[in-house]
Amino acid sequence: SDGGDCLTLGPEIASLPAGSVNLGDELMAAPRPVVVEMAERMIAAGVVPELELFHEGMFATVKSLQDTGIVSD
């Protein structure tokens, strides 16, 4: 699953990590194109993305999402 399956359940809000994160010995890979696609899918489904920022590098991704109008302030 790509994580988008939960959108069919109709949540009002859902977590959207703004980039890749190390989880112990594992990597949750979320390059910018994946983050953009998930944000667009969430918005199209009427779900508010709750942006999760775990390090300063993720701010550029969030700024990009705001600048392109995918998410609002």
Side-chain angles (χ1 to χ4, degrees):
S1 169
D2 64 2
D5 294 343
C6 65
L7 297 178
T8 61
L9 300 174
E12 294 179 18
I13 190 169
S15 175
L16 178 64
S20 300
V21 179
N22 292 325
L23 301 170
D25 292 336
E26 302 297 320
L27 171 67
M28 182 186 75
R32 189 177 301 203
V34 171
V35 174
V36 169
E37 178 186 353
M38 282 305 301
E40 290 173 337
R41 289 174 62 185
M42 292 170 87
I43 298 299
V47 177
V48 176
E50 179 181 36
L51 295 162
E52 305 284 349
L53 289 86
F54 301 109
H55 57 77
E56 65 277 357
M58 293 179 167
F59 284 97
T61 298
V62 171
K63 180 76 170 120
S64 173
L65 293 172
Q66 290 174 328
D67 290 348
T68 57
I70 295 172
V71 299
S72 60
D73 295 336

